[in-house]
Amino acid sequence: MIRTLRQSLVRHLPTAAAALCGVLLSAGVLLAGRPAAAQGQGPVERAAALVNEEVISMSDLMNRLQMALSSSGLPDTPETRQRLLPQVLRLLIDEVLQIQEARRLEIRVTEQDIDRALENLAQQNRLSLGEFQRLLDASGVPVASLRQQLLASVAWSRLVQRRIRPTVSVSDDEVQAQLERIKANAGKPEYLVSEIFLAVDDDANEAEVSRLADRLVEQIAGGANFGAVARQFSQSAGAFTGGDLGWLQQGQLEQALDTAVQQLQPGQFSRPIRGVNGYHILWLRDQRAVAAGNPADIQVAVGQLVLPADPANPAAGLEAARQIAQEAASCDALSAAAQRIPGAQQGQAALTRLGDLPPEISSIVGALGVGTPTQPFLTDRGIMILMVCDRVVPEGSIPPADQVRDAIAGERIEMLQRRYLRDLRRDATIEYRL
């Protein structure tokens, strides 16, 4: 199905969060505060960064780095710490901005909200709350740091619910178009994918982000848990769920990512891929045919175009056929091409079950959407191009319209919240002290 059919819109809301020094919970409302040291309760601590004059302390940064290392399984070495430190600080800065914006909008988060989030996190790890807290202590991760991370997570999710979700609408035409697309793709592969996304907002940090992406891939290849790495470092909305993108069909991702997914085998992950907004690391968790039920029960009407081949120079005919395949987007277009080319033949078979077609034909056309041609191939009849002219999917194989509507809205919400955070970052005054 499409990207968010596996979960409700709430799970699409961003949950990547972080420690924020000096944010207090009082009467259930986020209030601005100051570090304890600045209130005369201890020695002044060195700042790692100032975000709109709000401090991220070195202890904040080191605690978050320790949490990232412990939960992701990355090796705790001086080299790893040095490489990860800039990205951890960047995440902290983003999360400070999220908290500040939530505070400005008077988003309410109570201690009970954070308690529930902590219990949910323990359950996701199949641990009791006590066991989870003992595991954190053994890993050297302060529970207070994790609670601050969850504070930002809950606050930002509620902000997106309030500010962005009401602005998103999905028309009936969009839903119908998506349903038609799913029908056209029935029987083709779809992919269960997770991602780690590292944003590149300006040329200045391109090299740094690229190096981090390479480093994360090295560590995942060495045994680090992909989902845990995604939770700590990914900047996509699904980071808190381990980077889960759900089931994706061909064409849902931007072209470079779509191509990379199709080249993976289940269980494999990609090298860093430069996308429009940053670097992506993709993990193909599983693969299946689109639509429920037996794909062999799908009916297809197959059209074919056969061009004469010159035995002395078959390559010349193949090049002309490739041009036709590149331009043709329907069986009518194939028919028109046949009329232009002397000796060409075009025909269309009646609707037939995929399971009743010869295996060599079924394997080719089963992966085609309606109006998508095969690449030309040589046969004893000449150069052939096949195309699915029509496809009938068994009843019950298509998701309900409301589920599709929610999925489209979820993707739109994710895009808008990413832009929101980008704008906060651009408008902020950020001073680095490292």
Side-chain angles (χ1 to χ4, degrees), residues 324-344:
I324 293 172
Q326 184 176 351
E327 297 174 356
S330 69
C331 287
D332 288 342
L334 287 184
S335 179
Q339 295 175 14
R340 296 194 308 266
I341 301 174

Side-chain angles (χ1 to χ4, degrees), residues 291-430:
N294 185 358
D297 290 334
I298 296 169
Q299 293 180 301
V300 292
V302 180
Q304 63 178 3
L305 173 66
V306 181
L307 305 176
D310 181 358
N313 187 16
L318 280 172
E319 183 58 37
R322 289 190 188 98
Q323 185 66 30
I324 293 172
Q326 184 176 351
E327 297 174 356
S330 69
C331 287
D332 288 342
L334 287 184
S335 179
Q339 295 175 14
R340 296 194 308 266
I341 301 174
Q345 300 176 13
Q346 194 271 339
Q348 178 178 325
L351 282 167
T352 307
R353 287 180 71 252
L354 278 173
D356 294 336
L357 292 173
E360 61 273 17
I361 299 298
S362 177
S363 63
I364 295 174
V365 301
L368 296 177
V370 174
T372 302
T374 64
Q375 288 298 310
F377 55 95
L378 282 171
T379 72
D380 55 1
R381 296 173 53 196
I383 301 171
M384 183 176 290
I385 299 172
L386 298 179
M387 178 182 287
V388 175
C389 303
D390 192 13
R391 183 185 299 267
V392 176
V393 181
E395 192 69 26
S397 295
I398 300 301
D402 60 344
Q403 198 174 26
V404 172
R405 189 184 305 275
D406 285 351
I408 296 172
E411 293 179 349
R412 201 162 293 168
I413 287 170
E414 180 174 343
M415 176 189 67
L416 291 174
Q417 65 85 22
R418 188 177 291 176
R419 290 180 183 174
Y420 196 133
L421 181 57
R422 179 199 63 193
D423 292 342
L424 289 177
R425 190 183 303 119
R426 289 179 176 176
D427 293 340
T429 301
I430 300 172

